[in-house]
Amino acid sequence: MHFGKDPVVSNTAGAAIRQLVPLLFEKALEESRLDRNAGNFCHYQSQIESGGNESKCYSDFYFSAERPVFEPQRLGSNSVPASLGRCGADAYALLQDLCQIMNGEQQTWLIGMTEMTRVLALELIESILMGYRPLFDSKEFSYLLRERLCPLLIKLISPCVRHSRGGAQQPGSSSTGNSASDKPSFPVTVHLIRIVYVLLIAYCDLLRTESEIFYSLLMKFVDSDKVVWTKLLAMEVFFKLLTDPKMVLLISQTYCTKAASEGVFGDMVNTINNYILAVFVKPTSPSASPATSPSTPQQAGTQIFSPTFTYKDVSIQLVPLGKPTLLESRESEPPAATDSYGMSLAFSCLCFVSRTMMELQEALPPTGDENKVALQMLVQHSWCGMLSAVSTLLEASCDDSVTDSLLQICKVYVKAAGLVKMDIVREAFITALCKAAFPINYTIGIIKAASSRVASFRPDAAGLERKANGDTAAADSKNRNQIVAVGTPLSSSFPGAVMLTAKNITCLNTLLDITTALGDLLNNSWILVLASLQHLSWILGMNQIVPGSVNGLAKQRQRANESSQSTILTNVMMSDLPELTKRFDDVFRQTRLLTDTSLEHVVSALCKLSQDALETTAASRDPSLFAVAKMVDVCLVNMFRIDTWWTVVTQNLTEVAGNTNPVLREWGTDAITTLVKECLAYDFRPSLHSNHNLQNKILHPLLALSRIGWADVRLKQFNCINHIILSFAEKIPSCWRPIVEVIGAVNGIADDALIRAGFNCVQAVVSDHLTGISFDCVEQCAEAATRYGNQTLELNVSLTAIGLLWNIADHIFKNRHSFDVTQDRLLESMLTLYKHLSQLCLDIRPEVRKSAAQTLFLAIASHGNALDLPTWHRLIVDVCYTLLKCLEKYCMTASEERIGDEEDGKVVMHHSRDTAKKQWAETWAMVLPTVTKTVLGNLPVVVKLKQPQQAWQGILHHIQRGGISGLEEVSMSALKCLDDIILIGEGREQDKLPLDITVPMWDDVWKACHGVGVGLNDLMRRSPNIESLPSQKLITFYTIIYRRLNHQVRNNFTTEMFRKLQDVFPAIMLPVLNRNASKMMACRAEISPLQDSVLQIAESLQLEVLKPRSPSPHLITELFNLWLKYARHSTSHAVIARALAMEPEYLIRWWAATFSLFSETAMQRVVELYQQTHAWKLVMDSDTLSNIIQAIHQPLKLRQVDAHQTAWRVAVESILKTVRITLPHVNVQSAPVFYNVWIHLASAVDDVLYGDDGQIVEWGTDDVDFEVMNFFRSEILPHVALIPIDDLKFTLNVFHKGSLHRHVMEPSHVLPTGSEKVATLCFEALLDFHLYHAHKIPEADDINLPAILLRCEKILSGLTAESDTNAVSRGKNSLRCIKSVLHSIKQTSVTNVDRQVWHDVIMLYPKLVGLVPVHLNVPLRAEFRNLLAAALLQYSELIQPPFKL
């Protein structure tokens, strides 16, 4: 009847069917309820004793206690479970038949029914599922539901899923069956989806797996390639599901078997997002076309007044939503559905999800963890899709109300993510909001990095990056997104001007709302918000303000290109800008309400922005001052919790203050100084006065500024310190240390204005607050004053700083008993102060050095009585001696270039100070005696030191170093220091007081004085010119000091000291020189004061040695050596030869002439001393005579250089005198003592007579020669027995060299004219030895008289009247030889003469007589005849033979 042609009958039959089916299931439901109480019914039945039929009937009708248990595995495909009652079995069979009908199978229970449509069957199933939910709690119906109905539904829905939009538009096939199989039926699909919806909302607890499948199928309905009505049908199901908050929670919490972010709920939201993207990218209905009028109705009678989205030239208009259009449709064909309707559903779904989340947020505090977990699941599963959809819709939105709704969704998610600690979600939505506040393609590095982080965390977050091709949404000028502001971009990657729309400003307001309301939940996302606010404030041209800055009440940002790229605002925007600026400021003022953790995030974000501004300046772009200004705002309103932010903020601002950009540097410095002053003025609890740590913390940033070299920064720093000293000195009693450290950090400053500003602060502290600060700060003040003294920009500041050091030293001394420090600490501080002054004594400016030195030693003299012995030791060694060492180093390495006069010509440098070396020498010469006086003035303290020798030897070492410095001024100062030491000894000796200087100390003084002499000697040896030689005055003063010092050590003078004395004297003597000294002629010089002083040194020592009961007679030998060294000085090597630059030969003569009289005097003193001491055993044992002869031997050689010199004659005279004094004491017993004398004496005679290698060609012509040889013949030869044989041979050889017979025997030998007398004397001496001593010492005799006589005979025989002069000269010498031989043999004993000699002599007589008539034709004939006559006269005594015939 239902399928009859009569509609009345058909409808009536359909209504009857729809009534019968519920009746059956109601019976089954009632039976099921009774079945649940089966135990009670069975108990009632057992109590009936009669009427069993009635009871049985009742039991059979309602339940059967004996029904078997339901076993699904034994159930056939079409059978009814035996465990069901009668009604339940019928209902089960009916539902099973309906499933078979839907599946196209033959029904088993509906016998006789030949036809039933799927639509009717689906309607009946839907009514059953909706009306009788409790019935399906039974195992039987639950089994039927899972095993029959759900698979059937999945099977029937699958064709719809597989059917695509392209397939629907293809031409249908020729057969109806094929067409039906290819194209899904709209009514069937609708009823299927309605059944699925019922199952999802009512049976999800029974069908969890099946529900997931249904959700998956529904989401596939929305694929982009599906027909429109299927997508909208699924969207309506989503809409109905998501409108119920409980259902939303159920889905998010139940179907999460996949990964945490990929549950059913997340897939559903992603599906909605994909649908939205698909609509914008590929619209499917005419209503989505740009050509479609916005007033096009979706349905007949429906007026569209929804907002509009515009995206990629596609316009979408939202429509009001009522009942589901497709899900409630009874039509056989799908109604005309548009993308606008689907977009409305999707938008509503998003809003409902947000609403559910908002309700959970509101319920979170009272219900606690349960709702928090639900909220976390909800956010976790939905945020990716939601973010993508909201981002897309927000970009496309053209309506304020829609924009507000989307922004509200973002706010909800931000808050939810913050509540459940999902940082990545919060960051993602904040990023989306920040992007929406700017035009497309405006890039902010921090936000871009955040987007990348989110995308890497969830790659499926499609909304984070615009994936569609051509991802630029052109704003329609006709829309409401009109441009309200045009400004310059802060981002360097954005070309041209930035145009902000009303929607951008709306998003900005939302960001401000979020920061105000949800500040405690933003955490790490603060950086995104603040970066966006920074860029927006730059674009809108908002001025940044630093409260309390120095230039008035506020300082505004200035741009280099502000005139060319100013901000343009509409009238509306201009009127709103003050309010917007106020909201900007409120964001930072309200940070006082945030928790400490949130405040830390805010501060960290501002610091990051500040760091980015620094990087901007590195790229030569204008920096934004937003971060610095807002950082100050935040700090000022959070002063009560300064510990939270102070360190981070000040470190960042310090880095800003050190930037190269002047504006940024100025702002950073102003920010620091402002915060410091505001903190000092703030009323802390507890008070700042009692919180020492806080005081130090507040002032520490000023100390950090000291490491910045920019002059403008340091100037502001000093001004701030000056303000603090003047205004807050009473509030910071324990904080002077960082203040002094700040004002003392002047190293590296190259600006005199800064020096003056900083020094004013130091002066203020020392002058006004020195008595109120701690001892540590007093020490710091000393260090600060030292630094200002060391700076070289301001001379007056340096000099004044030295005065401050004196004030500090005096303050420490006067208050030393009131300081709460140990005595060691106090003494250490005083010592440190002296070290500071000693450092200033090494300043490059002589004025500072002089002032510092005077102050240093004045302080030592004034305050020295407060020092103990160890401190005195350190003062002397570590301060004074170190100062002298450094002065020596700087002086010796200083430049000798002349310092030019000032350009204006007003300052003229004196020639004695016109080089750096001379200026350093002045300081050295001033400090050295001052240190010496300090040591000598405190000598009783020095000798009590633990190591007195170190202190005493130290000053002597520096005196010695000064003496040999080569600088006249310093050397003279060093000698005066020695003179001061000697004066102390002389004064104490005159007053007959005990000496403070002990014997070992005097020995050290003598060594130092000797070291000065050695050094001066070496200096003279190395001097390149006369100007660099020490002056006569200096050397003379040195010798005087040496003589006086020798008197002090006279009782302890040692042999070693005498020997060392000879290292200095007389070598240290200089001749009187002038610039033309190299051209001086050799002449006899007078004894200069210097030479006289040197002689007095030896004379004073001689007096000490020779005086009665002298303690040092053993020094006689060394005294002789000293005098002999004096004697040799005229022939010594000139130590100043390099400076004189003379020719070697001329230098020797000039030097000998200069010191001739000095050497002569010394030789005379030697003779006198020897005459007094020659009998001393020590003199004899020490071979003194030999030493004298050797020493005087050197002046003898001057005869070779200049025979006109008198020194060699005095030397000859001295030798002869000393030998004559000695000879009476020479005997056999004393002979060994004089063994060395003969050879040296002979050598000396040899040199004085003949010279080295016979250089004296005129030997024998001087009277001295005859005197020497005669002395030798008469005084020495008689002692031949005492002379060693070798020495005797050498002595005889001296006579042999000048003997007359040599000229006769050797034709080549030349006898100098006038030397015949000496030659004859030599020959006669040899004859004497031959006749008297040869028989005793035959090996020393080399005279052959027969040969000589034979040679004489031959020469004389050859003379004729025609003989030349040479033959006559030889004849003359032959006659002299004959005469000497005759005279000698006549005087000796006959036995000493060989008979042959007598025979030869007699045989010569006739020859001689024969020469009488020879008349020589030469000028010498008269002399020849005289010699011949003299020879013949020698025969007068030989006329008679000496024996009897």
Side-chain angles (χ1 to χ4, degrees):
M1 294 175 64
H2 177 64
F3 294 100
K5 296 182 178 180
D6 188 351
V8 176
V9 175
S10 176
N11 292 335
T12 302
I17 293 173
R18 292 183 179 88
Q19 292 292 330
L20 290 174
V21 171
L23 288 176
L24 177 59
F25 275 85
E26 283 186 7
K27 290 290 185 179
L29 181 59
E30 181 66 22
E31 184 182 64
S32 176
R33 290 171 182 168
L34 295 175
D35 193 32
R36 283 195 295 271
N37 297 323
N40 296 332
F41 290 140
C42 292
H43 177 69
Y44 173 74
Q45 183 180 12
S46 64
Q47 292 178 351
I48 299 176
E49 297 178 354
S50 60
N53 292 334
E54 292 180 3
S55 177
K56 180 66 175 175
C57 181
Y58 181 82
S59 177
D60 289 341
F61 183 78
Y62 291 101
F63 61 91
S64 176
E66 298 178 355
R67 288 198 297 267
V69 178
F70 175 67
E71 296 180 358
Q73 62 275 16
R74 296 185 178 182
L75 189 64
S77 58
N78 296 322
S79 59
V80 177
S83 58
L84 291 173
R86 184 181 304 164
C87 297
D90 293 342
Y92 184 94
L94 175 59
L95 182 58
Q96 184 172 251
D97 282 356
L98 291 175
C99 292
Q100 291 176 350
I101 292 173
M102 290 171 57
N103 198 27
E105 299 177 0
Q106 183 65 39
Q107 65 272 18
T108 57
W109 187 76
L110 294 174
I111 301 173
M113 188 181 70
T114 59
E115 184 179 4
M116 177 180 287
T117 63
R118 286 185 175 180
V119 174
L120 178 59
L122 292 173
E123 286 183 1
L124 295 176
I125 293 175
E126 181 185 358
S127 64
I128 293 170
L129 295 175
M130 290 183 62
Y132 306 102
R133 169 63 182 81
L135 185 62
F136 288 89
D137 288 335
S138 64
K139 297 179 180 179
E140 294 82 3
F141 280 94
S142 175
Y143 173 79
L144 179 62
L145 188 64
R146 286 194 303 270
E147 302 297 331
R148 295 287 190 272
L149 181 58
C150 289
L152 179 61
L153 292 175
I154 294 171
K155 177 181 177 182
L156 295 176
I157 292 174
S158 295
C160 300
V161 174
R162 292 192 297 268
H163 182 72
S164 64
R165 181 168 53 183
Q169 293 176 352
Q170 292 177 358
S173 61
S174 57
S175 62
T176 304
N178 291 338
S179 178
S181 63
D182 293 337
K183 182 179 181 181
S185 170
F186 174 72
V188 174
T189 302
V190 169
H191 283 83
L192 287 172
I193 297 304
R194 289 174 63 176
I195 293 175
V196 169
Y197 171 72
V198 172
L199 292 176
L200 291 177
I201 62 174
Y203 295 88
C204 60
D205 55 338
L206 298 178
L207 305 173
R208 178 169 178 173
T209 303
E210 290 78 4
S211 296
E212 290 189 19
I213 297 174
F214 291 144
Y215 280 120
S216 177
L217 293 174
L218 286 173
M219 284 182 271
K220 291 182 179 179
F221 270 45
V222 193
D223 288 347
S224 59
D225 58 345
K226 300 299 185 291
V227 294
V228 176
W229 63 267
T230 59
K231 292 191 286 187
L232 296 181
L233 188 61
M235 290 299 297
E236 286 184 344
V237 175
F238 293 156
F239 173 75
K240 294 187 69 176
L241 290 172
L242 298 177
T243 54
D244 185 3
K246 294 182 179 180
M247 197 64 196
V248 173
L249 294 176
L250 179 65
I251 298 173
S252 65
Q253 295 177 351
T254 303
Y255 308 107
C256 55
T257 57
K258 299 181 180 180
S261 60
E262 298 178 355
V264 170
F265 183 71
D267 293 342
M268 185 184 300
V269 177
N270 287 335
T271 299
I272 297 173
N273 168 59
N274 293 335
Y275 173 76
I276 294 172
L277 293 176
V279 168
F280 283 127
V281 174
K282 191 175 182 181
T284 58
S285 63
S287 64
S289 173
T292 304
S293 173
S295 61
T296 302
Q298 177 198 9
Q299 295 177 345
T302 303
Q303 182 67 31
I304 296 178
F305 54 87
S306 300
T308 301
F309 294 106
T310 300
Y311 191 87
K312 299 178 186 176
D313 298 330
V314 176
S315 296
I316 302 295
Q317 294 179 330
L318 298 183
V319 297
L321 298 177
K323 292 183 178 182
T325 304
L326 299 180
L327 203 58
E328 301 295 335
S329 175
R330 299 292 180 177
E331 303 297 332
S332 59
E333 294 295 330
T338 64
D339 286 334
S340 295
Y341 176 68
M343 185 65 75
S344 301
L345 291 173
F347 178 72
S348 299
C349 290
L350 300 179
C351 292
F352 282 124
V353 172
S354 175
R355 183 191 67 181
T356 303
M357 198 171 297
M358 188 184 303
E359 292 175 356
L360 278 177
Q361 294 173 12
E362 295 173 354
L364 188 59
T367 55
D369 293 340
E370 183 178 351
N371 281 348
K372 188 173 183 180
V373 172
L375 181 62
Q376 182 177 3
M377 297 292 292
L378 197 61
V379 174
Q380 185 174 351
H381 294 156
S382 65
W383 73 271
C384 287
M386 183 66 74
L387 176 63
S388 178
V390 169
S391 299
T392 304
L393 294 176
L394 191 58
E395 182 179 339
S397 175
C398 299
D399 186 85
D400 292 343
S401 61
V402 173
T403 300
D404 291 341
S405 299
L406 294 170
L407 295 176
Q408 181 62 29
I409 294 175
C410 291
K411 289 172 63 177
V412 169
Y413 267 86
V414 170
K415 182 177 181 181
L419 290 174
V420 298
K421 310 298 183 185
M422 300 182 67
D423 295 342
I424 192 67
V425 178
R426 181 195 61 240
E427 186 173 306
F429 279 91
I430 291 292
T431 302
L433 278 174
C434 294
K435 284 186 174 182
F438 294 94
I440 303 298
N441 295 335
Y442 189 88
T443 303
I444 302 177
I446 295 175
I447 297 178
K448 184 177 181 180
S451 299
S452 301
R453 286 196 301 273
V454 175
S456 63
F457 181 79
R458 289 298 301 271
D460 56 342
L464 296 180
E465 300 292 339
R466 313 287 164 70
K467 292 183 179 181
N469 295 329
D471 54 353
T472 301
D476 188 357
S477 60
K478 298 180 181 180
N479 294 333
R480 301 180 187 180
N481 294 334
Q482 73 275 16
I483 297 173
V484 296
V486 179
T488 57
L490 181 59
S491 174
S492 60
S493 61
F494 191 86
V498 182
M499 292 179 288
L500 298 180
T501 64
K503 184 170 67 174
N504 297 138
I505 302 302
T506 302
C507 295
L508 169 60
N509 283 305
T510 302
L511 278 176
L512 296 174
D513 291 339
I514 289 176
T515 56
T516 303
L518 306 177
D520 282 330
L521 300 177
L522 292 182
N523 294 343
N524 295 331
S525 299
W526 269 105
I527 182 63
L528 305 176
V529 176
L530 295 180
S532 301
L533 297 183
Q534 172 180 284
H535 281 256
L536 289 169
S537 66
W538 178 277
I539 295 170
L540 294 174
M542 294 181 181
N543 290 327
Q544 308 303 329
I545 299 173
V546 174
S549 59
V550 294
N551 299 329
L553 297 178
K555 182 176 290 186
Q556 298 182 351
R557 171 174 61 86
Q558 300 294 332
R559 298 185 194 170
N561 56 353
E562 187 173 359
S563 59
S564 60
Q565 295 185 357
S566 59
T567 302
I568 302 174
L569 304 176
T570 63
N571 293 334
V572 176
M573 191 63 209
M574 290 183 65
S575 61
D576 293 341
L577 187 60
E579 179 63 25
L580 189 61
T581 303
K582 182 178 179 299
R583 294 199 65 191
F584 265 70
D585 296 337
D586 289 342
V587 169
F588 301 97
R589 294 192 185 100
Q590 292 183 9
T591 55
R592 66 182 182 277
L593 304 177
L594 299 178
T595 63
D596 290 350
T597 302
S598 299
L599 179 61
E600 290 174 357
H601 287 295
V602 174
V603 171
S604 177
L606 290 173
C607 291
K608 178 63 172 64
L609 295 180
S610 173
Q611 195 68 32
D612 292 344
L614 299 181
E615 297 175 0
T616 300
T617 59
S620 301
R621 302 201 310 270
D622 292 339
S624 171
L625 305 174
F626 175 87
V628 177
K630 299 312 175 185
M631 203 180 299
V632 176
D633 289 342
V634 170
C635 295
L636 291 179
V637 298
N638 289 277
M639 201 72 72
F640 60 93
R641 44 180 173 179
I642 187 174
D643 293 336
T644 304
W645 53 265
W646 182 258
T647 302
V648 177
V649 169
T650 53
Q651 286 179 352
N652 182 267
L653 291 177
T654 301
E655 189 173 356
V656 173
N659 193 261
T660 56
N661 185 276
V663 177
L664 198 59
R665 187 169 66 242
E666 181 183 9
W667 273 62
T669 309
D670 282 343
I672 291 178
T673 55
T674 298
L675 288 177
V676 170
K677 289 185 284 188
E678 291 296 328
C679 287
L680 293 176
Y682 186 76
D683 187 15
F684 289 98
R685 291 291 182 271
S687 66
L688 182 63
H689 184 275
S690 60
N691 194 339
H692 300 166
N693 292 334
L694 183 57
Q695 294 176 26
N696 291 320
K697 177 181 287 189
I698 291 175
L699 293 179
H700 185 268
L702 293 178
L703 181 60
L705 290 181
S706 302
R707 294 187 286 270
I708 298 175
W710 296 105
D712 53 347
V713 174
R714 299 304 306 277
L715 185 59
K716 291 178 183 293
Q717 178 198 36
F718 288 146
N719 291 335
C720 179
I721 290 293
N722 193 30
H723 176 77
I724 292 172
I725 295 174
L726 295 177
S727 303
F728 304 110
E730 302 300 328
K731 297 185 67 174
I732 52 174
S734 62
C735 207
W736 287 103
R737 186 178 183 87
I739 289 178
V740 178
E741 191 171 354
V742 169
I743 58 181
V746 294
N747 295 334
I749 292 182
D751 191 338
D752 53 354
L754 287 183
I755 295 295
R756 290 191 295 270
F759 186 68
N760 289 336
C761 299
V762 176
Q763 274 187 305
V765 174
V766 175
S767 302
D768 301 334
H769 302 283
L770 196 60
T771 57
I773 63 179
S774 66
F775 188 76
D776 292 341
C777 294
V778 172
E779 291 179 324
Q780 273 193 306
C781 288
E783 293 178 1
T786 304
R787 294 191 185 101
Y788 281 99
N790 286 324
Q791 58 79 31
T792 59
L793 297 177
E794 277 288 338
L795 177 61
N796 291 333
V797 169
S798 296
L799 297 176
T800 309
I802 295 173
L804 292 183
L805 287 173
W806 162 256
N807 294 338
I808 295 172
D810 196 53
H811 171 75
I812 295 175
F813 176 73
K814 292 179 180 179
N815 299 275
R816 62 186 183 277
H817 300 299
S818 60
F819 288 122
D820 187 18
V821 294
T822 62
Q823 181 70 12
D824 292 343
R825 172 75 181 280
L826 182 70
L827 295 176
E828 184 68 27
S829 178
M830 296 180 68
L831 187 63
T832 302
L833 188 59
Y834 297 148
K835 288 181 179 179
H836 292 332
L837 286 170
S838 68
Q839 290 176 7
L840 291 172
C841 293
L842 302 174
D843 194 87
I844 61 174
R845 296 160 294 181
E847 302 88 351
V848 176
R849 296 199 297 268
K850 182 177 180 180
S851 177
Q854 293 173 348
T855 305
L856 169 63
F857 294 102
L858 177 60
I860 294 175
S862 302
H863 309 147
N865 57 354
L867 305 179
D868 59 6
L869 292 180
T871 308
W872 263 112
H873 181 271
R874 294 177 60 191
L875 172 63
I876 293 173
V877 175
D878 297 342
V879 178
C880 297
Y881 294 170
T882 301
L883 173 60
L884 290 174
K885 182 179 180 180
C886 294
L887 284 173
E888 177 187 359
K889 175 184 176 182
Y890 294 156
C891 184
M892 301 309 294
T893 58
S895 172
E896 297 187 39
E897 295 183 3
R898 187 175 183 276
I899 300 175
D901 300 334
E902 298 292 335
E903 294 181 359
D904 56 8
K906 295 181 180 180
V907 179
V908 179
M909 189 73 66
H910 191 267
H911 69 86
S912 63
R913 299 290 181 264
D914 60 354
T915 67
K917 196 179 192 70
K918 293 177 181 179
Q919 293 175 355
W920 278 104
E922 178 191 18
T923 306
W924 192 3
M926 178 184 64
V927 172
L928 181 58
T930 311
V931 174
T932 304
K933 290 178 181 178
T934 300
V935 175
L936 296 179
N938 296 276
L939 199 56
V941 177
V942 173
V943 297
K944 295 178 183 179
L945 297 178
K946 188 176 181 180
Q947 296 178 336
Q949 285 298 108
Q950 182 182 7
W952 181 250
Q953 292 175 0
I955 188 61
L956 295 176
H957 168 76
H958 289 290
I959 291 174
Q960 178 180 340
R961 296 297 300 173
I964 63 175
S965 62
L967 303 170
E968 185 77 14
E969 186 176 8
V970 178
S971 297
M972 187 63 73
S973 177
L975 295 181
K976 289 179 180 179
C977 293
L978 287 174
D979 186 59
D980 291 339
I981 298 174
I982 297 171
L983 284 174
I984 293 178
E986 293 175 347
R988 305 286 279 186
E989 186 176 3
Q990 291 176 1
D991 297 338
K992 298 183 179 180
L993 297 175
L995 297 179
D996 292 325
I997 304 179
T998 61
V999 172
M1001 295 171 68
W1002 278 118
D1003 291 342
D1004 293 334
V1005 176
W1006 192 92
K1007 292 176 182 177
C1009 188
H1010 170 265
V1012 172
V1014 173
L1016 289 174
N1017 195 8
D1018 184 65
L1019 179 66
M1020 290 188 292
R1021 184 178 293 107
R1022 293 184 287 106
S1023 296
N1025 50 56
I1026 295 177
E1027 287 77 7
S1028 61
L1029 291 173
S1031 66
Q1032 282 276 319
K1033 179 181 178 182
L1034 176 67
I1035 302 300
T1036 304
F1037 186 38
Y1038 172 75
T1039 57
I1040 294 173
I1041 290 175
Y1042 212 126
R1043 175 171 54 81
R1044 292 165 56 202
L1045 181 59
N1046 286 339
H1047 179 73
Q1048 291 295 325
V1049 299
R1050 61 188 181 278
N1051 295 328
N1052 302 286
F1053 217 83
T1054 63
T1055 304
E1056 183 66 23
M1057 294 170 68
F1058 237 122
R1059 292 173 182 172
K1060 289 184 177 180
L1061 184 67
Q1062 298 174 41
D1063 295 337
V1064 179
F1065 300 104
I1068 199 172
M1069 286 194 304
L1070 285 176
V1072 180
L1073 300 172
N1074 54 54
R1075 296 186 181 274
N1076 295 323
S1078 60
K1079 299 180 181 179
M1080 292 175 58
M1081 296 301 295
C1083 61
R1084 182 177 177 84
E1086 300 295 332
I1087 292 182
S1088 66
L1090 174 58
Q1091 296 175 6
D1092 183 63
S1093 180
V1094 173
L1095 290 172
Q1096 289 181 21
I1097 292 177
E1099 290 173 353
S1100 64
L1101 293 173
Q1102 181 172 323
L1103 290 176
E1104 293 296 331
V1105 173
L1106 297 181
K1107 72 179 181 179
R1109 294 186 298 276
S1110 171
S1112 54
H1114 59 283
L1115 299 178
I1116 187 63
T1117 304
E1118 298 299 333
L1119 181 60
F1120 272 109
N1121 292 337
L1122 179 62
W1123 280 116
L1124 293 174
K1125 194 165 187 179
Y1126 284 9
R1128 291 195 302 268
H1129 190 62
S1130 59
T1131 59
S1132 300
H1133 174 68
V1135 295
I1136 59 172
R1138 182 182 179 191
L1140 294 176
M1142 294 180 179
E1143 293 294 332
E1145 295 181 0
Y1146 181 81
L1147 174 62
I1148 294 173
R1149 288 191 295 141
W1150 179 84
W1151 186 267
T1154 303
F1155 291 101
S1156 175
L1157 189 55
F1158 175 81
S1159 293
E1160 293 173 16
T1161 304
M1163 286 185 285
Q1164 293 170 0
R1165 297 291 190 275
V1166 170
V1167 174
E1168 294 173 0
L1169 179 61
Y1170 187 76
Q1171 189 171 6
Q1172 299 179 51
T1173 61
H1174 68 277
W1176 290 17
K1177 186 177 185 301
L1178 182 61
V1179 174
M1180 298 179 65
D1181 292 343
S1182 60
D1183 203 9
T1184 302
L1185 179 59
S1186 177
N1187 294 335
I1188 293 174
I1189 295 173
Q1190 290 183 71
I1192 299 179
H1193 187 176
Q1194 296 299 325
L1196 289 176
K1197 295 182 179 181
L1198 290 176
R1199 182 181 184 184
Q1200 305 173 32
V1201 178
D1202 187 359
H1204 299 285
Q1205 291 286 346
T1206 60
W1208 70 273
R1209 295 180 182 273
V1210 175
V1212 170
E1213 182 181 352
S1214 299
I1215 290 177
L1216 296 181
K1217 286 182 179 180
T1218 55
V1219 173
R1220 284 193 180 101
I1221 294 171
T1222 308
L1223 286 177
H1225 302 279
V1226 177
N1227 50 47
V1228 177
Q1229 291 77 14
S1230 63
V1233 177
F1234 301 100
Y1235 275 168
N1236 295 328
V1237 172
W1238 314 114
I1239 185 62
H1240 295 305
L1241 182 60
S1243 177
V1245 172
D1246 183 64
D1247 284 344
V1248 74
L1249 190 64
Y1250 309 112
D1252 294 335
D1253 299 329
Q1255 291 183 4
I1256 302 178
V1257 296
E1258 299 295 330
W1259 58 269
T1261 60
D1262 197 293
D1263 294 339
V1264 175
D1265 296 342
F1266 182 81
E1267 180 183 0
V1268 170
M1269 299 308 293
N1270 188 43
F1271 168 78
F1272 226 80
R1273 177 188 177 186
S1274 61
E1275 301 290 341
I1276 302 302
L1277 287 183
H1279 298 85
V1280 293
L1282 302 177
I1283 301 175
I1285 185 61
D1286 293 335
D1287 297 350
L1288 181 60
K1289 288 180 178 180
F1290 183 83
T1291 303
L1292 294 176
N1293 185 54
V1294 173
F1295 286 94
H1296 182 78
K1297 284 183 179 180
S1299 178
L1300 186 65
H1301 79 285
R1302 186 181 177 191
H1303 181 69
V1304 175
M1305 299 298 291
E1306 299 176 9
S1308 62
H1309 181 71
V1310 179
L1311 189 67
T1313 303
S1315 63
E1316 293 83 357
K1317 184 178 180 180
V1318 175
T1320 303
L1321 179 63
C1322 291
F1323 181 63
E1324 290 177 350
L1326 290 175
L1327 288 175
D1328 290 343
F1329 179 80
H1330 176 73
L1331 297 173
Y1332 295 102
H1333 305 288
H1335 63 283
K1336 299 178 182 178
I1337 314 174
E1339 62 270 20
D1341 183 23
D1342 60 349
I1343 295 295
N1344 189 352
L1345 287 179
I1348 296 174
L1349 294 174
L1350 182 62
R1351 177 62 179 169
C1352 291
E1353 179 185 2
K1354 185 178 180 180
I1355 292 174
L1356 293 174
S1357 299
L1359 289 176
T1360 62
E1362 288 78 16
S1363 297
D1364 58 5
T1365 303
N1366 187 28
V1368 174
S1369 177
R1370 291 187 178 277
K1372 289 165 52 179
N1373 289 333
S1374 297
L1375 292 175
R1376 290 187 180 97
C1377 288
I1378 294 171
K1379 176 186 174 183
S1380 296
V1381 170
L1382 288 173
H1383 177 75
S1384 296
I1385 62 176
K1386 289 188 301 181
Q1387 298 296 329
T1388 186
S1389 174
V1390 176
T1391 59
N1392 292 338
V1393 181
D1394 189 11
R1395 288 180 178 271
Q1396 182 63 37
V1397 173
W1398 283 108
H1399 181 268
D1400 293 339
V1401 168
I1402 293 172
M1403 293 302 294
L1404 279 174
Y1405 183 77
K1407 300 293 183 182
L1408 296 176
V1409 174
L1411 292 173
V1412 173
V1414 177
H1415 296 280
L1416 300 174
N1417 295 324
V1418 293
L1420 298 177
R1421 60 179 177 270
E1423 184 180 1
F1424 181 82
R1425 286 185 173 275
N1426 292 332
L1427 291 173
L1428 179 62
L1432 291 173
L1433 289 176
Q1434 292 295 329
Y1435 283 92
S1436 62
E1437 299 176 2
L1438 299 178
I1439 297 297
Q1440 295 294 331
F1443 53 86
K1444 292 180 179 184
L1445 296 176

